[in-house]
Amino acid sequence: MTPDDTERLHFRQMTIDDLDDLAELLGDPALMTFYPAPKTRDQARAWIEWNQRNYAEHGYGLWIIETLTGEFVGDCGLTWQQVNGRLELEVGYHVRATHQGRGLATEAALACRDFARDTLQVPQLVAILHPDNEASRRVAQKIGMRFLENDLGGTIPVRSVLGMHFPVSL
Ligand SMILES: CC(C)(COP(=O)(O)OP(=O)(O)OC[C@H]1O[C@@H](n2cnc3c(N)ncnc32)[C@H](O)[C@@H]1OP(=O)(O)O)[C@@H](O)C(=O)NCCC(=O)NCCS
C-alpha cells in the first residue's frame, strides 16, 4: 500500500535497484547538512533494508517518490520513531537538490499526512528535525504542523518535534 499519485508524484516501495539513486541522494553532503554525516553506499543499502522491514512489518515506510514519468525525486513516507521515550509516527522527506524549491516535498508530505489520517487512522503525526533545518520546518508547517516539544533522545542534543493531532473519526 502506498499513497495515491499526486498531481506530480508517484509513490512506490524502494528496492535494491534504487541503491544508486539513494546512495547519491543520501551521500550528498549539502543535503545531509543536518544529519550526523552523509550516508555511505553501505548505509544507503541499510536504509533500503530498514524500509523493506518496515513494509513487511507495518505495510508502509519511506517510499521512493518519482515523477509521473519515472524520474527519481527522492523519498518520503511514514516510519515509527522514538520521541522522548515513546513511539510516534513520523513523516520524513528527502528531495534531490536538482528538484528542490518546487513544492515537491510539500506535495509528497501532504499525501503521506492524508494517508496517515485516512488509511492508517493514527491519532497523531510528527516531523522530527534539527532546530536549524528551516526548509524541513517549512514543509512541516505547510502541511499543518506546529511545534510540539523538543526531543532530547536523538543523535543530536536537541531535535524539534512538530506535529498535528487528527480528529477522532466516529
Ligand atoms: C526539506 C526538503 C525535503 C524540502 O524539499 P523541497 O522540495 O525543496 O520543499 P518544498 O519546495 O515543498 O518547500 C520548501 C520550503 O522551505 C523553504 N526553504 C527552503 N530552504 C530554506 C531555508 N534555507 N530557510 C528557510 N526556508 C527555506 C522554501 O522557501 C519553501 O517554503 P515556501 O513554500 O514557504 O517558500 C529538502 O530541502 C531536503 O531534502 N533537505 C534535506 C533532507 C532533510 O533535511 N529532510 C528533512 C529531515 S527532518
Side-chain angles (χ1 to χ4, degrees):
M1 71 182 161
T2 61
D4 293 336
D5 286 357
T6 64
E7 194 185 331
R8 294 176 291 174
L9 294 171
H10 175 68
F11 290 79
R12 64 168 175 79
Q13 292 191 352
M14 50 181 80
T15 75
I16 196 64
D17 292 343
D18 297 306
L19 181 57
D20 285 349
D21 283 333
L22 284 167
E24 192 179 337
L25 178 81
L26 303 171
D28 175 350
L31 192 116
M32 298 299 279
T33 301
F34 297 110
Y35 285 77
K39 290 195 188 298
T40 63
R41 190 172 177 85
D42 279 349
Q43 288 170 327
R45 185 180 290 106
W47 187 257
I48 295 171
E49 291 166 353
W50 169 55
N51 281 295
Q52 291 180 323
R53 288 195 300 277
N54 285 327
Y55 306 146
E57 188 174 343
H58 304 293
Y60 51 86
L62 288 167
W63 296 288
I64 296 293
I65 46 173
E66 56 190 19
T67 65
L68 300 183
T69 54
E71 194 183 358
F72 178 77
V73 172
D75 68 14
C76 183
L78 301 164
T79 60
W80 290 97
Q81 302 285 342
Q82 290 281 342
V83 173
N84 293 319
R86 59 179 201 279
L87 282 173
E88 293 281 358
L89 192 67
E90 184 198 30
V91 59
Y93 28 75
H94 301 87
V95 167
R96 63 196 289 206
T98 50
H99 287 61
Q100 289 180 11
R102 304 184 200 170
L104 290 171
T106 303
E107 189 170 319
L110 270 172
C112 290
R113 179 202 69 185
D114 292 352
F115 184 89
R117 183 192 59 209
D118 302 336
T119 303
L120 304 182
Q121 300 194 337
V122 292
Q124 175 163 297
L125 183 67
V126 303
I128 308 164
L129 44 107
H130 189 291
D132 298 334
N133 193 344
E134 293 299 338
S136 181
R137 188 192 320 280
R138 272 305 290 148
V139 173
Q141 289 171 338
K142 286 193 291 180
I143 67 166
M145 292 182 171
R146 60 179 177 78
F147 177 81
L148 293 182
E149 62 188 301
N150 287 317
D151 169 70
L152 307 177
T155 49
I156 57 171
V158 180
R159 302 186 300 174
S160 302
V161 182
L162 282 75
M164 62 199 309
H165 301 280
F166 298 127
V168 178
S169 51
L170 297 173

